[in-house]
Amino acid sequence: MDCYTANWNPLGDSAFYRKYELYSMDWDLKEELRDCLVAAAPYGGPIALLRNPWRKEKAASVRPVLEIYSASGLPLASLLWKSGPVVSLGWSAEEELLCVQEDGVVLVYGLHGDFRRHFSMGNEVLQNRVLDARIFHTEFGSGVAILTGAHRFTLSANVGDLKLRRMPEVPGLQSAPSCWTTLCQDRVAHILLAVGPDLYLLDHAACSAVTPPGLAPGVSSFLQMAVSFTYRHLALFTDTGYIWMGTASLKEKLCEFNCNIRAPPKQMVWCSRPRSKERAVVVAWERRLMVVGDAPESIQFVLDEDSYLVPELDGVRIFSHSTHEFLHEVPVASEEIFKIASMAPGALLLEAQKEYEKESQKADEYLREIQELGQLTQAVQQCIEAAGHEHRPDMQKSLLRAASFGKCFLDRFPPDSFVRMCQDLRVLNAIRDYHIGIPLTYSQYKQLTIQVLLDRLVLRRLYPLAIQICEYLRLPEVQGVSRILAHWACYKVQQKDVSDEDVARAINQKLGDTPGVSYSDIAARAYGCGRTELAIKLLEYEPRSGEQVPLLLKMKRSKLALSKAIESGDTDLVFTVLLHLKNELNRGDFFMTLRNQPMALSLYRQFCKHQELETLKDLYNQDDNHQELGSFHIRASYAAEERIEGRVAALQSAADAFYKAKNEFAAKATEDQMRLLRLQRRLEDELGGHFVDLSLHDTVTTLVLGGHSKRAEQLARDFRIPDKRLWWLKLTALADLEDWEELEKFSKSKKSPIGYLPFVEICMKQHNKYEAKKYASRVGPEQKVKALLLVGDVAQAADVAIEHRNEAELTLVLSHCTGATDAATADKIQRARAQAQKK
Amino acid sequence: MAFPHRPDAPELPDFSMLKRLARDQLIYLLEQQHEVDKLYKVENKPAVSSSEQLCFLVRPRIKNMRYVASLVNADKLAGRTRKYKVIFSPQKFHACEMVLEEEGVYGDVSCDEWAFSLLPLDVDLLSMELPEFFRDYFLEGDQRWINTVAQALHLLSTLYGPFPNCYGIGRCTKMSYELWRKLEEEEDGETKGRRPEIGHVFLLDRDVDFVTALCSQVVYEGLVDDTFRVKCGSVDFGPEVTSSDRSLKVLLNAEDKVFNEIRNEHFSNVFGFLSQKARNLQAQYDRRRGMDIKQMKNFVSQELKGLKQEHRLLSVHIGACESIMKKKTKQDFQELIKTEHALLEGFNIRESTSYIEEHIDRQVSPIESLRLMCLLSITENGLIPKDYRSLKTQYLQSYGPEHLLTFSNLRRAGLLTEQAPGDTLTAVESKVSKLVTDKAAGKITDAFNSLAKRSNFRAISKKLNLIPRVDGEYDLKVPRDMAYVFSGAYVPLSCRLIEQVLERRSWQGLDEVVRLLNCNELAFTDVTKEDKASSESSRLIMVVFLGGCTFSEISALRFLGREKGYRFIFLTTAVTNSARLMEAMSEVKA
């Protein structure tokens, strides 16, 4: 263990830097890295290489090959580059490869070399060609910045939502800047460029000259500049071999260093970790790597091979032909524990645990020492934290073992930090595996979040691992397993060599009814790949029929969509499908389809009733639904037509339909109406006044009221108005006219079919007691009492009731006995009752 | 007089939450989202506003869309441009957009939705305020509102916990219930683990019991509805009630202390109660005499306001009663009620038929006549052919030929039918069951299948003992059963079904009744085995009426609740009565 710190290099007094191997690269590079365009995605992402034939002045006779490798050097994709010359490569935050062509077109490829889309950076770029390009990451996503042949900059801060911004001109700029970079301040992307000894900052509106504070004199040109991962710091390398380090706002200088090498470095990147006080810059030349910071001495490494630097959140990855290494500042916890002769609590605890394993009593001594200082909690925490920063599982284990050992002596140590670290390390070790090749550090992993990591695994089609991780971390199904299964299924449908049945079955077997999985999304993907049959099969598994419909419509399976929509019970959906069908099918077929779907039919009828009356008629016709057709014409006879002839014609059609429907009643009634309508028209012509549209009853009443008794009776005979009705009608009308003489005549014309009680009632309604009394005498015996009561003759009513010996009548009369006047009558009734009871 | 609830009766859930929710949503929608500053009622006339923007809050109906389109087009002709917004409540329908498109104004109008479906009219009454539901579903076979019902149930279950026990009968009920279940499954987890507040839910279709809805109402609240038309829980009392020249809008709910005591009473008791109340009030006023200054001060500051309020309410209801009395005696209400009771009991059918005929001949009221005809048809399993023809002929002569369509509607809804001579019960049944087992038909409402339905009212009435045997006078002051809402002549079928099912906690033993109701496959019980519900919530029952419920039914169930220690909550698509049902079926000239 003494040699553990062997690869630690001190920088100044306070910090150590270490470099360790992530992978030994097994890739079969045909070209030297220096001959290629290289892009490596941050967060242990993939590496893209494109041999750059355009750089040399040779004619591009051989097409170059674009190769994509995992961080461990496993080939992911390889394709022949057939498009135009590429200036720059870069990875977006979604791990899509952006290839910026000379003509300003950006081609976007997936991790597996699948072409996704392309977009252009604008006309200006097309005209002036691309001189240089950078892909950068902001909190909004990934951006592209372009330097054109006219020495102007164009950038887009987010390629997902492309908005091109042309930056202002730099006054007097004649040649390309010696170096430039994108900065991101206050959520806005800027460009910093160096022209000779001057620095300019470009934002949307203006170009301003800037000077770094405390810059050593004598600079005639800047050779390289580097912005830190978080855009907080900036480093400048000058032609005097001097490095200036400060904040990106150029307001503050952190430190400077003079390396005395005047050759322009190949790469310069920041190497720092979040919340660390130490800042260092890694500068790479052809065969030399230098770590410089706020210290008089730098750390130097020799590069055996052509290498490439990838800045990360908490360090720098360095890969070459044969290895892939990670260089970073040793984290505080690790430093405290492993520093030679460290007395930090963590270091003691680790020691104690080792002694304990050796069954030595020294374990107790160490432990006591920590406990006496009251630092055991801190010790455990330190060990846990340090374990997170270890790359080698054996080291992780020994630190965790120490933590676990220390925990035993603590009463109340919350277990989650330990448990979570164990889980996290397990996940990290799994993904760092050579076959997976995502060398994330603990800090990067925490920054990236588990969700994004899962997305990346899905992107690499590592579905089983992703699912295992979800299950291991017990993530909720909807966010975890189901989502991954859905992605898997979407990938599965693209496997063209497997038959539809097999794919559908395989998907259903895996997915089952996992909550949160949308079969329709998968089906949509299948359809997108041109596998309609498969899509339909997959839709069968979709439990929500409503979800199936839109896709079915898109696939032109409208009839199937219709039945699914009906199954869903969502009328609106049915209607959507109906309108689709209506446009898609010819009328006959459309109607036939409707005919088999009564629910859709009634829905469509509803619509037609308001919007398309003619269609409604056709619908009924097609169904031979004569009853409804009749109703339709009836409605038309008063709603649509105005002229009498038109109305009669509509009624005639209705009557015909009703006959066909074997509804003789309706047919007859309709024919009567036709007659009535014509007659009413004639009456209007002959007598004036308003007749049309009155009911038969009202027509006759109007005639009576107008004094046309003869006509009224003629009409009644013609239309066979029953006697009872006629009598009621005449009675009411005459009373309304207060033609009492005529009423009496009428009452005597023959025996009343409705009796004479109504006469009494109606007269009383007109407050004519005198007339009422006349009729009261003619009322039949069974209603006599009622009639007498109506005219207010209580005494006589009582007599009649007593005569009838009818208990109900007696009660009725009694209830009408009010006040003193009827007291005698009431007595009489009581007496009669008593008598009746005696009998 | 108003019966107290049993001491162990559960508390009603707090529906004021729904009201607040709706109010806040609406205010936000209108003020914040759409910057509305003046409200008008949507009527079929040109817009008078000179505003730059018109915003329509409407039901998603084609008629409304044509109105909007006509306004937009009128503006276009006049060369003015303004913004138009349509807010659909409770949801937007594709058909509406389609109409806007066909009228050529789709581009001018922007659409929004307001998912408002539950209006608490009272502490125990939620209305979806969808009177069109009845015609749309039961006549036109249009299922568009089923989704709305399911959404409403979903909202209730998210607010008041899951429903552990559900029972239902009817096709629409079944579809709504299944759709709601689907919604719950899709969003599961939300209500799980919550304690249910509502222990039982009972859903039923209006067409399971048309009879009750067709009867004249004699309980005070129902009578007020029949006479003055209650709208959204409030009523406009005209000058004849207020005995002044102005009409008065009165909210009718539990807040009105006087109304709350008489709402469920048989009308014959109401007058007595009100006069007693008036006397008490007078006595309380009279206490002033003989008070010293201090007592008087107390009286004025504390009691007087309450007394005055009560006084005002009392005079309103006395006015309403008088007005009802006047109207009811004019049309010989007693005769009418007698006929109805005869129809319910199945006596003197001939006499009743001629009464109806006379009713039609005298043109007493088109809606009333129609109602009586329907009542006759349903209680008698359809009219005998001769009556069917003659009554219809008479009706057409009285009210015009367009009612041929009304009759066609009534026939389709199964409200007014002709007795089919050869059709034995079993033949009809096999026909119906064939329709039901056929999968396609099982899923949809075949509007025509009601043609083959028989109402079987008489048999059901016997089975469920709907006509109480009365020895002596039925005491309406101290009712014995739910029949009091119809003067002791008839226990509402819907309420009896609910009572029976709740007693058995399932449809078990009611198979015969279900068969007679033509609901063989349409009655369901969904009971959770482990009863997590507290004893209190298990006595809180929600009754859902699809197609509307009447105040009489509400009163009857409130009575049942008091007897058994339950509390009922009512959810209905709208409060209805016989006249509304008939109007929904009637064709009138535009």
Side-chain angles (χ1 to χ4, degrees), chain A residues 476-546:
Chain A
E477 279 207 332
V478 178
Q479 293 169 30
V481 176
S482 334
R483 203 165 57 100
I484 291 159
L485 282 174
H487 277 291
W488 166 78
C490 286
Y491 172 61
K492 184 85 185 165
V493 296
Q494 297 170 27
Q495 293 181 344
K496 297 235 156 92
D497 47 336
V498 187
S499 77
D500 291 344
E501 281 81 24
D502 292 346
V503 172
R505 202 176 316 116
I507 287 176
N508 183 242
Q509 255 167 20
K510 275 253 163 48
L511 268 60
D513 315 321
T514 321
V517 171
S518 163
Y519 277 97
S520 51
D521 287 353
I522 302 167
R525 183 63 71 92
Y527 176 63
C529 305
R531 299 181 74 165
T532 312
E533 285 309 313
L534 175 59
I536 291 170
K537 283 202 170 63
L538 286 168
L539 276 180
E540 286 297 320
Y541 296 117
E542 174 65 57
R544 294 160 297 170
S545 13

Side-chain angles (χ1 to χ4, degrees), chain A residues 544-545 566-568 571-572 575-576 579 598-599 602-603 606-607 609-612 625 627-628 631 634-635 638 658 665-666 669-670 673 693 695-698 719-722 724-725 728 761 765 786, chain B residues 62 66 92-95 98-99 102-103 136 140-144 179 182 186 335 358 360-363 389 392-402 404-405 408 412 439 443-444 448 587-589:
Chain A
R544 294 160 297 170
S545 13
I566 289 168
E567 239 172 69
S568 81
T571 44
D572 214 29
F575 198 79
T576 315
L579 291 180
M599 187 258 194
S602 72
L603 200 66
Q606 281 279 80
F607 177 74
K609 236 177 227 176
H610 294 280
Q611 276 308 91
E612 293 178 15
N625 190 342
Q627 174 65 32
E628 287 299 325
S631 299
I634 292 273
R635 195 173 290 114
Y638 62 81
F658 284 137
F665 172 80
T670 310
Q673 175 58 18
D693 274 343
S695 71
L696 180 59
H697 186 108
D698 292 343
F719 284 90
R720 288 194 297 280
I721 293 185
K724 275 190 187 178
R725 174 191 286 278
W728 271 111
E761 279 173 13
K765 254 185 203 156
K786 243 190 195 168
Chain B
I62 288 175
R66 291 166 70 109
K92 184 168 69 182
F93 286 136
H94 195 94
M98 185 68 200
V99 173
E102 286 190 355
E103 302 285 323
D136 281 351
E140 315 275 8
D142 182 344
Q143 302 173 4
R144 66 173 67 188
L179 199 59
K182 246 195 244 169
E186 270 169 40
E335 283 286 308
E358 187 185 307
I360 298 169
D361 285 352
R362 295 175 58 187
Q363 290 187 309
R389 299 174 73 98
K392 282 204 298 186
T393 311
Q394 296 304 315
Y395 195 88
L396 293 178
Q397 289 190 354
S398 273
Y399 299 113
E402 64 271 22
L404 257 184
L405 303 183
S408 152
R412 202 190 304 171
K439 201 189 168 237
K443 268 268 175 189
I444 48 97
F448 294 97
E587 291 288 332
V588 274
K589 283 184 211 175

Side-chain angles (χ1 to χ4, degrees), chain B residues 442-459:
Chain B
K443 268 268 175 189
I444 48 97
T445 325
D446 188 346
F448 294 97
N449 103 34
S450 56
L451 287 180
K453 266 193 202 167
R454 289 163 69 100
S455 55
N456 303 321
F457 178 75
R458 199 74 58 217

Side-chain angles (χ1 to χ4, degrees), chain B residues 69-187:
Chain B
S70 71
L71 279 186
V72 177
N73 283 327
D75 276 357
K76 273 188 185 165
L77 269 180
R80 63 179 299 180
T81 46
R82 37 181 165 190
K83 281 206 277 185
Y84 308 92
K85 288 172 170 177
V86 181
I87 307 170
F88 295 100
S89 181
Q91 68 181 105
K92 184 168 69 182
F93 286 136
H94 195 94
C96 292
E97 288 179 296
M98 185 68 200
V99 173
L100 291 177
E101 206 179 313
E102 286 190 355
E103 302 285 323
V105 298
Y106 188 66
D108 305 279
V109 176
S110 65
C111 297
D112 199 354
E113 281 182 326
W114 179 36
F116 165 69
S117 57
L118 291 169
L119 178 69
L121 292 180
D122 208 338
V123 287
D124 59 352
L125 175 59
L126 298 174
S127 168
M128 300 180 62
E129 289 301 310
L130 285 174
E132 54 261 65
F133 185 100
F134 180 70
R135 185 178 167 119
D136 281 351
Y137 179 78
F138 292 103
L139 179 61
E140 315 275 8
D142 182 344
Q143 302 173 4
R144 66 173 67 188
W145 300 117
I146 289 177
N147 189 31
T148 317
V149 172
Q151 293 287 357
L153 287 173
H154 183 58
L155 177 63
L156 283 175
S157 72
T158 36
L159 289 177
Y160 302 105
F163 306 146
N165 307 302
C166 299
Y167 321 92
I169 184 161
R171 191 181 294 277
C172 183
T173 283
K174 199 166 182 201
M175 286 193 286
S176 311
Y177 184 77
E178 278 166 5
L179 199 59
W180 168 64
R181 276 275 168 230
K182 246 195 244 169
L183 281 181
E184 295 279 297
E185 273 164 32
E186 270 169 40
E187 271 179 57

Side-chain angles (χ1 to χ4, degrees), chain B residues 16-30:
Chain B
S16 60
M17 194 192 327
L18 286 171
K19 214 176 219 167
R20 278 200 305 276
L21 194 72
R23 193 186 49 209
D24 293 351
Q25 280 176 347
L26 189 60
I27 290 175
Y28 176 73
L29 192 72
L30 293 184

Side-chain angles (χ1 to χ4, degrees), chain A residues 690-704:
Chain A
H690 176 71
F691 284 98
V692 171
D693 274 343
L694 293 180
S695 71
L696 180 59
H697 186 108
D698 292 343
T699 312
V700 179
T701 305
T702 314
L703 283 174
V704 174

